[in-house]
Amino acid sequence: PRSGTTLIEQIISSHSQVEAEGEILDLRESFRTHGEILNSDISADDKASACVAVMTAYLDKLRARQKATYFTDKMPYNFMFVGLILSVMPNAKVIHCTRDPLETCFSIYKQNFAGSPAYTNDLTELGQYYIAYKDMMKHWQNLFGDRIYEANYEAMVDNSEHEINNLLAFCHLESEDG
């Protein structure tokens, strides 16, 4: 959160082929429906099937309401599911929104999120959470580097035209006047 996800979503969804879904809970709901994915007693094949079921349910729900060819899901906690998303959805692209760590953490700390997790109100926990998030994203980057694009907030603000063109190229979208 507080890393520029709204800015990036507004930019990318201004393209005629992309629809902004916002911070949707569909992926989390799909996990709840297919909870067997977390069961340590099932076979690897059953876990793989459960992963596919999670992503299929997620996509089916989205397709039922979606009108555009592509969509964005800017739920900040999706960083935890990058491995699943990119393993099961071979055409998926992940846009990793980044911002100066101090700016990000201070913005989280000063924002009063409704029902917020404890880490948002404690600077020590916030720092630990941020480090864990960075470590996880580094892991995903090592595994799926070419399918993860870093959209840096400061770079986007400083050189918008260049950064937008790079973002569109990563998504295999042609530039549009709008």
Side-chain angles (χ1 to χ4, degrees), residues 43-133:
S43 71
D45 287 342
D46 288 341
K47 281 187 188 223
S49 295
C51 288
V52 171
V54 165
M55 296 313 293
T56 299
Y58 169 70
L59 291 173
D60 287 349
K61 196 167 188 180
L62 278 166
R63 286 186 186 122
R65 67 177 181 259
Q66 185 184 349
K67 295 171 183 56
T69 306
Y70 305 106
F71 68 92
T72 61
D73 176 352
K74 73 175 199 99
M75 178 58 73
Y77 296 114
N78 283 349
F79 78 90
M80 296 179 200
F81 307 116
V82 168
L84 175 64
I85 293 166
L86 294 179
S87 293
V88 177
M89 298 169 54
N91 296 322
K93 304 278 187 186
V94 170
I95 300 168
H96 177 210
C97 299
T98 62
R99 184 178 176 190
D100 177 89
L102 292 177
E103 293 285 337
T104 301
C105 290
F106 181 68
S107 186
I108 291 169
Y109 182 73
K110 74 177 186 169
Q111 181 70 34
N112 186 15
F113 294 105
S116 62
Y119 75 85
T120 65
N121 299 312
D122 180 285
L123 289 174
T124 301
E125 285 187 42
L126 180 55
Q128 292 167 342
Y129 182 87
Y130 187 85
I131 290 168
Y133 141 76

Side-chain angles (χ1 to χ4, degrees), residues 3-178:
S3 62
T5 58
T6 300
L7 173 65
I8 299 302
E9 183 179 57
Q10 288 175 346
I11 290 168
I12 197 112
S13 68
S14 69
H15 194 281
S16 63
Q17 295 182 43
V18 181
E19 186 171 320
E21 290 289 332
E23 293 182 7
I24 56 176
L25 300 175
D26 296 0
L27 187 54
R28 184 170 72 180
E29 293 303 316
S30 186
F31 268 101
R32 284 188 184 148
T33 304
H34 302 281
E36 68 271 14
I37 197 171
L38 302 175
N39 186 345
S40 61
D41 295 332
I42 65 173
S43 71
D45 287 342
D46 288 341
K47 281 187 188 223
S49 295
C51 288
V52 171
V54 165
M55 296 313 293
T56 299
Y58 169 70
L59 291 173
D60 287 349
K61 196 167 188 180
L62 278 166
R63 286 186 186 122
R65 67 177 181 259
Q66 185 184 349
K67 295 171 183 56
T69 306
Y70 305 106
F71 68 92
T72 61
D73 176 352
K74 73 175 199 99
M75 178 58 73
Y77 296 114
N78 283 349
F79 78 90
M80 296 179 200
F81 307 116
V82 168
L84 175 64
I85 293 166
L86 294 179
S87 293
V88 177
M89 298 169 54
N91 296 322
K93 304 278 187 186
V94 170
I95 300 168
H96 177 210
C97 299
T98 62
R99 184 178 176 190
D100 177 89
L102 292 177
E103 293 285 337
T104 301
C105 290
F106 181 68
S107 186
I108 291 169
Y109 182 73
K110 74 177 186 169
Q111 181 70 34
N112 186 15
F113 294 105
S116 62
Y119 75 85
T120 65
N121 299 312
D122 180 285
L123 289 174
T124 301
E125 285 187 42
L126 180 55
Q128 292 167 342
Y129 182 87
Y130 187 85
I131 290 168
Y133 141 76
K134 290 297 283 183
D135 288 346
M136 183 172 277
M137 285 310 301
K138 183 178 179 182
H139 172 73
W140 297 138
Q141 188 70 41
N142 287 337
L143 291 177
F144 302 103
D146 61 336
R147 296 180 58 203
I148 301 173
Y149 179 82
E150 182 178 340
N152 180 266
Y153 179 83
E154 289 85 6
M156 187 62 71
V157 170
D158 290 342
N159 194 355
S160 298
E161 186 174 342
H162 175 74
E163 294 299 320
I164 290 169
N165 287 332
N166 287 344
L167 180 61
L168 291 174
F170 171 76
C171 294
H172 301 290
L173 295 169
E174 295 294 321
S175 183
E176 296 177 340
D177 290 337

